[in-house]
Amino acid sequence: MTDTFLIGMLVLAAGLFAVGLFGVLARRAVLFQLLSLEVMLSGPSLAFVAAGARHGDPAGQGMFVLVLILAAAEVALGLALYLRMARTADVTDSDSIRDLRH
Amino acid sequence: MTLGAIILLPFFGGLVALFANLIWPRTDRWVALASLVLGMAALIFVTAQGVLTGSSAAGIEGEAGRWLALHRSDWAPALGVQILLAMDGLSGVLLFLSLGLGILTVILSWNETEKSALLMAALCWTVATSNGVFLAFDLLVFAFFWELMMVPAFLMIAIWGHGTREATAIKFLIFNTIAGLGLLAAVFYLGSTSEGPVTFDAFVIAARDIDPTVQVWVLAGFALAFMVKLPVPPFHAWLPDAHTQAPTVGSILLAGLLLKTGAYGLFRFPAMLFPDGFAVLAPYGLILGAFGTIYGALVACGQTDAKRLVAYTSVAHMSVVLMGICGGVHFSMMGAGIVMVAHAFSASALFLLIGAIYDRVGTRDIRQLGGLQRNAPRFAATFALFFSATLAMPGTANFLGEALVITGMFQVNWVYASITLISLVISVVYATRLFQRVVFGASRKAEVKQDLTWRELGPILVLGTGTLFFGLLPQGLMVALDPAVNAAVGAIQAVTK
Amino acid sequence: MTLSPALILLLVPSFALAAFMVLGLYPYTLRRRQVHIIALLGGALPLLIMAPLTGLCAAGHCLGVVPIFTLTVGQSVVALALTLDPLGATIGLTVSAIGAAVLVYSITYMAATSLADLRRFFALMNLFLAAMLTMVLAGDSIVFFLGWELMGLCSYFLIAYNTTSAESITAGRKAFIMTRVADAYLLAALLLLFLHANSVRLDVLIPASATLDATMTIVIAALLLGGALGKSAQVPFHTWLPSAMAGPTPVSALLHSATMVAAGAFLLMRFAPLMQLAPAVQVAAAVLGVATAAYGAMSALFQQDVKRLLAYSSISQIGFMMLSLGVGAPEAAAAHFVMHAIFKSLLFLAAGDITHGCVEGTDLSSMRGAWTRKPVSYVAFVAGGASLAGLPMITAGWWSKEAILSAVQGFGAVGQVLWLGAVLTALLTGAYASRAIMIGLMPMRDSDMPHAGNVHRHEAPRTGTIWTNLPLMLLATGAIVAGVLVTPIMHFLGAEEPHASAFSVYVAAAAPLLGVGLALALVFVPRLSEGLRNVRAISRKARKMPRRGEGGPQSRFVRLALWLNWGMRFDGLYQVMFVRPFVKGVRWLNGYGSAPADPVGTWPMLALVWLQQKITAPLAPDWFDKLWMWGAAGVVRLWALVRRVQTGRVRDYGFAMAGGIAGLLLLVWGTP
C-alpha cells in the first residue's frame, strides 16, 4: 500500500479516536460512554492494522486481536459496573457517582 | 587588702548569714552583726594607719597627704579593668556612716521573724555595695557597684515593705537603672577612647586632656545617674513611693546611705575628671538645686503620710547639697559635705521614729496620730530633737552645713542664697506640721501607748549624739572633709581662672 | 586659784543649761520638790554669777572678748567667743534677774500642773534662759545666732505648752514661722559680714563694716533691721505676739515681754556702730519704731483681754526702743530695755495672779475687784502700770522714756515729728494703763463672783504665798525706784545724758496725765463706755465687723474700736496675702486640685510611660508570627483552589488523562 493511503488511514484512525474521546467526555450516560470507548478503541486498532499492512508485518493484526481482547474485558467490566450502578443507585449518570472526591 | 576587706567582709557576712540559720537557729543576725563590726574595725584600722603614716598614697602623684589608703590589683587586664580602691577623708566619713548605719539597722531588725536571714543578707549587701561605690576608683568597678547597689534595696522593698511594695520596688529599680545607663555609657566611652591601652583608671583619665565639649556630654551621663539618686526634681518621683512602701530599716538605709552615694559621686567625679564640663553645667545644676529645694519643701508641707513628708524633705535637703556642690567654692562644698552627713543622721532617726510609731499603731497618717506628748514622753523628746535638726536649728550639724552652703552661695550669687534661706523658712512649716500633728494634741484615732524601747532608743541616741556632736564640735568632720573639698575646689578654680 | 575669764563667762548660761538637761533628760522620776529646786538653781545661779561680773564691769574691769573655741574652715578661722562688755553686762544682769523672778513666781503659779508637764515647763524655761544669756554674752556672730534661734525654738515649745489646745499650737507655729523669717534676714546679714571681714568675732566684724561699700552697708543694715523687727514683734512682723499670749503667764512674762522680744532691740544695740553707717536705714528704723509704738498703743487701748493688752503694750514700748536706736541713742534704748523688763514682767505676773482661776480667763473683766481680792498683786499691778504710763518723776518708766524723748528731740527736723508721735503714744500709753488699773477698782459683777459653780477649782489659786509675793514686791519696788539707775546705765554704756528743753519735758510729763484723763473719759463718759460695751459684745460673739450704721449707737466709734481691737486687721491681711496663697499652692502641688500630686515628679514619669507606650504599641503584635501564619493561610487558600480538581466525576478524570497523555506525546515527539 502507498504512504498516502497509510496517512489517510491514520487520519481516519485519529478521527475515530477523537470522536470516541469526544463521546466519552461529552456524554453523561454510562452506556454511551462505553459505546464511545468502543469507537475510541477502533481508532488505534485501525492504525495498527493499517501500519501492519503498510510494512507487511503481521504484528499489526496481532495487536488488533489484543485490542479486541482488551475491549471485551473492558466492556465486561464497564457493563458490570453499569449494572451495579443501575441496580443499587438507580442512576445511569456517571456524573452522579462521585463520592471519591474532596 | 584591708580596703578590700571593708567591702568583702559585709558581702561575705551577708552570704554566710543567708545560710547560717541552717546550722543553728537565729545565728543570722549575729553573723551579720559580726561582719559589720569587723568591717568597721577594718575601717578604723585603715584610717588610723593612713592618718598616722600618711604615706599610703603610693601610685598617686601630686596628692600627698590626702589619700589615706590605696589598693590596686588586676582584675581583667585585657579589658583594662583593675580593682582600684582609694580612700580619703570624704570616703572615710561616708564609710563610717555606712557601716554604722548598717550596724544600727541590724540591731533594729533583731527580732524580725519573716525571712530574717534574707533580710540580714540584704542589709549587709547594701552596706557592702555602697562601700564599693565609695571606694572604687576604677570607673567600671564603680559603675558595677553602682548598679549592684540597687539589688539589695529592691529586695528589701519588695519583700518586707508595705502596701504596693512590688510595684514600688520595680519602679525604684527601673528609674535608677535607666539613670545608670547614662553612667555606663559615659564610662564605656571614657574607657574605650584612650590613646594608650584601654583603662578605666580614674586617675589616669583625670590626667588626660579631654575635649571640653566631650566633657560636657560625658559629665551629663554621669550627672544623670547621680542626680536621679540624689534625688533632684524632676527625677525624684521614685523616692516618696520607695520610702513609703519600704520597711523601716529599708528607709533608713535608703535615706542615710543610698542617697549619699549620689551626692558622693557628684562631689568626687565631676571636679576630678571633667572640670571644664563642670564649669559649663554647674549653673544648670544650681538652678535645678534651687528649684528642688523650694519644690521639695512646698510639697512636704501638704503631705499627710509622715514618711512621705520626710521623703520630700530629703529631696529638699539633697537639693541643697546639689547647690553646694555646683557652687564650686570651698564654703559651699564643705557645707554640702556636712549636710550629707547631718541629713543621714536626722533623716534616719526620723524614719526610725515614724517606723516605731507605725509598728505600734499601723498607720503613718498624721491626721490619725497625735498625743505622743501625753503617752510617750521619750518619743516626744527624741522627736523634738530631730524636729529641730530638720529645721536646721543652730547646734545641729544640719544648720552648720546649710549655713556654710548659704555662705558659699553668697559668694556665687545672692539669689541662690536667698532661695536657700526661703527654703529654711519653709522648713519650719513642714517640720511643725509633722511634729505637732504627731506629738501635740490629743490622740485621734491611733493612740501610741508604748514608749520607745531600749532597742529603739539606742540607735536614736547614737544618731542624736552624732547630730549634736557634729553641730557643736565639727572640727573633726571638717578636717576629714577638707582635703577632698580643697582638691575639688582647686580643680574647678584651675579651669575657671 | 584664778579662774580663766572664759570659764566664768561660760558658767553663766551653763547652770541654766544643766538644769534643762537634768529636768529634760534625766530618765527617772523626780519629785516635785526636786524639780522646784533644780529649776530655781538654774534660774538663780546665773544671777548670782552675773551680779558680781556686772559689778566688776562697772568698776572698769570688763573682760572684753574671750575666745572659747576655734574652728578652721578652709582659709578662714572661725573663733567662737563670749564677751563681757557694759552692754552685755547690763542686759545680762536684767535678763537673769527677771528670769529668776519669773521662775520663783512659777513655783506656785504652775502648782496645779502635772509633774511631767511641770518638768517640761521648767526645763524649757531654763533652756530659754541659757539661750538668752548665751546670746547676750556672745562675742561672735555664730554664738549670737545660736542663742537667738534657740530662743525661738523654746518660744515655740513654750507657747504651745498646752499641747492639747489647738489655739496654743497654732499660735506657737505662727510665732515660729514669723520669727524664722526674721532669723533668715539676720543669718544673711551675719554671713555677708563674715564673708567681708573673714572673721566671726564681733569685735572684728563691727569695725570691719566700716570698709563695706555703700550698697552693701545699706543691705546689711536693712537685713539686720529686718531681723530685729521680726524678733521684736514690730510692724510689720508683729502679728505673732498677741496670739502668743496663748501660752502660760510666766512664759508671757519672761519671753514675750521682757527678754526675747527685746532681743531685736538688743541686736541693734550690739550692731549700733554698723547701723550708724547707714543713716537711711536708721531713719527707717526710727520711723518704723514710732509708727509701731503708736500702733501698739492704739490697739492696746481697745483690747478686751489683759494679756493681749500687755502684748500690744510690749509692741509699743519696744517701738520706743527702736525709735531710740533709730535716732542714734542705743544707750537710752538699753536703759529703757531694763526698765521695760522690770515693769512689763511685773505687769504680766501681777495680772496672771489676779486673773488666775477666773471664769473668764484673762479677760479684762477678771481684773475686777482685784483691790479687794488680791491687794498685793493689785498694788504691784498699779506700780507696774504707773511705770508703764510713765507717770512723771515718781516711776522708773518716766526716766527711761524721758531719756528717749530727749534723744529724739535732739535729732533735728525729723526728730521733731518723731517726738510728737512719741508724745502722743505716751498719752495713749497712759490711757490704756490707767484703764486696766481702773477696772481693778471696779466691783465684781455677780456673774464674776467666784462661787462653787464658776471658779475652775483645778486652778485654785494659792494667793499670798511668799513665792508669788516676793518677786512681785521686788519688781514693784524696782518699777518705782529703778529710775535712778537710768543715768548711771547710760554713763556706763558710754553716753552722755541727753538734754532736753524744759518745754518738751513739761509736755512729756503732761502726756501720761492726759492719758489718764482719756481713760477716765472712756470709762465714765456714757457714750464712750456704751460703745466699749458694744465692742466687747461684738468681739466676743459675732467676731465680724459690723457695717456702717449697724453696731448700735456710736457705730463709728464702735467700728474704730473694733478695728483697733483686731490690731488694724493685720492678721487678716497676712492671711489673705500669704497664708491663703501658700496653702492653695501647697494643696495644688499635693494633688487636691486638677493636677496630679507632685506634678514635677509625676509629669516626667507620665511622659516616660507615654513614650514607652508609643514605642512598644506598634511592636506589640508579633510580626514574625503573623508572617508565618499568613504563609500558612496562603497554603490553605491554595489547597482550597487545588481541591477543586478532585471532582469525583469520571469524565473529568478521563479528560485530564487524555489531555495529559496528549501533552506528553506532543512533548516527546513534537519538540526537536
Side-chain angles (χ1 to χ4, degrees), chain B residues 295 303 312 391 429 436 441, chain C residues 71 156 163 173 180 590 598:
Chain B
Y295 180 78
Q303 289 296 318
Y312 278 109
L391 284 176
V429 182
Q436 56 194 43
Chain C
L71 283 174
Y156 170 68
T163 57
R173 191 180 197 203
R180 230 334 153 87
N590 276 291
D598 189 5

Side-chain angles (χ1 to χ4, degrees), chain C residues 438 514-529 532:
Chain C
M438 275 189 270
L514 286 173
V516 175
L518 177 60
L520 285 168
L522 276 176
V523 172
F524 290 113
V525 170
R527 291 173 58 181
L528 294 176
S529 62
L532 275 183

Side-chain angles (χ1 to χ4, degrees), chain C residues 173-346:
Chain C
R173 191 180 197 203
K174 181 164 140 187
F176 205 4
I177 295 175
M178 288 188 83
T179 50
R180 230 334 153 87
V181 174
D183 296 345
Y185 291 142
L186 177 61
L187 185 61
L190 290 176
L191 290 176
L192 283 171
L193 279 173
F194 165 66
L195 280 175
H196 173 78
N198 206 28
S199 162
V200 288
R201 277 173 57 148
L202 288 178
D203 58 343
V204 173
L205 270 187
I206 299 178
S209 58
T211 54
L212 282 168
D213 66 357
T215 7
M216 219 34 169
T217 320
I218 295 188
V219 166
I220 294 182
L223 286 171
L224 284 173
L225 180 62
L229 291 176
K231 199 68 154 193
S232 292
Q234 302 292 286
V235 169
F237 295 105
H238 63 284
T239 49
W240 65 271
L241 191 55
S243 340
M245 297 297 115
T249 305
V251 171
S252 309
L254 183 57
L255 273 72
H256 301 128
S257 61
T259 49
M260 185 175 114
V261 290
F266 174 72
L267 169 70
L268 292 181
M269 287 179 222
R270 262 271 184 254
F271 283 87
L274 198 159
M275 300 299 287
Q276 272 151 12
L277 293 170
V281 177
Q282 270 205 308
V283 170
V287 170
L288 274 173
V290 80
T292 310
Y295 164 83
M298 281 194 281
S299 300
L301 191 52
F302 292 107
Q303 291 301 313
Q304 302 296 328
D305 177 300
V306 67
K307 281 180 77 174
R308 280 181 86 98
L309 188 152
L310 292 174
Y312 277 108
S313 164
S314 299
I315 294 176
S316 172
Q317 292 299 305
I318 297 169
F320 270 103
M321 290 185 221
M322 290 290 169
L323 171 62
S324 173
L325 287 161
V327 300
E331 303 80 10
H336 195 60
F337 180 111
V338 178
M339 301 302 138
H340 175 258
I342 297 175
F343 65 66
K344 192 46 70 64
S345 57
L346 170 65

Side-chain angles (χ1 to χ4, degrees), chain B residues 147-183:
Chain B
E147 301 285 337
L148 206 55
M149 211 170 39
M150 295 184 255
V151 175
F154 168 80
L155 281 177
M156 276 197 285
I157 298 176
I159 303 181
W160 295 275
H162 346 278
T164 61
R165 50 181 190 247
E166 293 94 0
T168 307
I170 292 176
K171 180 173 166 184
F172 161 76
L173 197 62
I174 291 179
F175 245 98
N176 283 290
T177 318
I178 292 183
L181 284 178
L183 176 65

Side-chain angles (χ1 to χ4, degrees), chain B residues 79 81 139-141 143-144 147 180-194 198-200 205 208 218 222:
Chain B
L79 294 171
V81 182
L139 290 177
L140 196 60
V141 176
F144 167 76
E147 301 285 337
L181 284 178
L183 176 65
L184 274 177
V187 166
F188 280 128
Y189 178 80
L190 278 178
S192 55
T193 59
S194 42
V198 173
T199 178
F200 292 96
I205 296 177
R208 215 190 279 167
V218 180
F222 269 75

